[in-house]
Amino acid sequence: MLIRRPNDIRSSEITDKDLYLGRRRFLRGAAATAGAVLAAGLGPRIALAARQRLDDVRKTDFGKGETPNSYQDITSYNNFYEFGTGKADPAANSGDFDPAPWTVQISGEAEITGEFTLEDILAPHPLEERIYRLRCVEAWSMVVPWVGFPLGDLLQRFKPLSAAKYVEFRTLHDPERMPGQRRPVLDWPYVEGLRMDEAMHPLALMAVGVYGEVLPNQNGAPMRLVVPWKYGFKSIKSIDRIIFRETPPRSSWEKAAPNEYGFYANVNPEVDHPRWSQKRERRIGASAFASKIPTRKFNGYGEQVASLYSGMDLARNY
Ligand SMILES: Nc1nc2c(c(=O)[nH]1)N[C@H]1C(S)=C(S)[C@@H](COP(=O)(O)O)O[C@H]1N2
Ligand SMILES: [Mo]
């Protein structure tokens, strides 16, 4: 298997796995935190998964003033159909998943293509924490302190050609390791896409961690997208393929129900899902008696992203 690396990376910047999983970035190991996981009330199966601290994470002002959901909420109420369709399934069923070694295949309309190790993909990118709201199309929401880096910084390294108008992302397809893929609930692998200008927008994040720790399997280890102004399903997990394209990719959800899920999927309280309202959302972790909160257009990020869609009819381009 040919493993290349983007030629803009000097070899001195590339170390072995140490850089990603070794001492530099990760200080505390499994033993130190297993007790804490148990104390947080998670089952023993999940406690077996190592919780590893990420080193050198720069704090930012993104989401300043917001109260993040608890680590427990973020890692136990998930959507990740590769590990089951129930909200508790990903935490229950992903404990045995080992996201290492991991390679990412880059193809399509770019100068630099090929297969890269996760270490090569991540090495040049300083990590930062950004607190983002995540609004699921099912009308619940969370606030998550992600750790990652701007998606555009990664895409730029492959020198996209002018023909690259869209970028497609795919999740690993391996039914042996992802038991949910043994049933045809979606057309596997999970596929998502962004228009190139959306992908290059500084709010689009490639996440590798949460709460200062390595991304738990149920949240999309080892690396997942976070596009905070779009419904949660656009934020594809466990990415192993990136394809620069001239034409829009067809996402798994568009294929499954084209009248319900569109390519854009911008959070929009003015456009209801055909089967339910999108005007309000339930904040996970709030009391069962708490009232739902109003959903904001573009999930509240309109000031930054609305210009991407000027002149577009967002009721048609849902
Ligand atoms: N590969 C993959 N990515 C996925 C999903 C999935 O089923 N498979 N679910 C999506 C949906 S619907 C949501 S709401 C978010 C949930 O992310 P979280 O579990 O980290 O909160 O992941 C998205 N990414
Ligand atoms: Mo979702």
Side-chain angles (χ1 to χ4, degrees), residues 73-75 77-84 87 90 134-138 140 142 144 146 170-172 178 181 186 188-192 210 215 218-220 224-225 231-239 253:
D73 284 345
I74 293 167
T75 59
Y77 190 94
N78 301 99
N79 265 341
F80 199 174
Y81 277 24
E82 284 82 346
F83 293 104
K87 299 289 179 279
L134 180 145
R135 204 306 192 164
C136 180
V137 75
E138 294 169 284
W140 50 266
M142 287 204 232
V144 184
W146 300 108
R170 294 191 190 176
T171 297
L172 172 72
M178 294 181 147
Q181 291 177 338
L186 282 176
W188 311 112
Y190 195 100
V191 170
E192 261 309 336
V210 76
L215 211 53
Q218 58 266 41
N219 295 93
R224 58 91 55 87
L225 221 60
Y231 290 119
F233 67 85
K234 296 293 285 184
S235 292
I236 179 173
K237 296 176 170 180
S238 305
I239 296 166
W253 288 107

Side-chain angles (χ1 to χ4, degrees), residues 151-164:
L151 171 66
D153 290 356
L154 174 65
L155 299 182
Q156 210 85 82
R157 285 164 63 206
F158 305 105
K159 304 191 193 303
L161 304 172
S162 57

Side-chain angles (χ1 to χ4, degrees), residues 7-49:
N7 57 14
D8 59 339
I9 306 172
R10 281 173 296 123
S11 60
S12 65
E13 287 178 302
I14 299 182
T15 62
D16 55 13
K17 264 185 90 177
D18 251 24
L19 190 66
Y20 176 60
L21 282 172
R23 270 180 233 122
R24 229 196 83 190
R25 280 189 170 168
F26 301 87
L27 294 177
R28 271 186 269 147
T33 42
V37 184
L38 283 172
L42 298 182
R45 191 183 169 84
I46 300 164
L48 288 176

Side-chain angles (χ1 to χ4, degrees), residues 21-22 44 48 53 56 75 84 95 97 122 153 160 172 175 186 258 279 302 309 312 315:
L21 282 172
L48 288 176
R53 190 104 214 129
D56 300 329
T75 59
F97 182 71
L122 301 184
D153 290 356
L172 172 72
L186 282 176
K279 290 190 176 53
Y309 310 101
M312 277 178 70

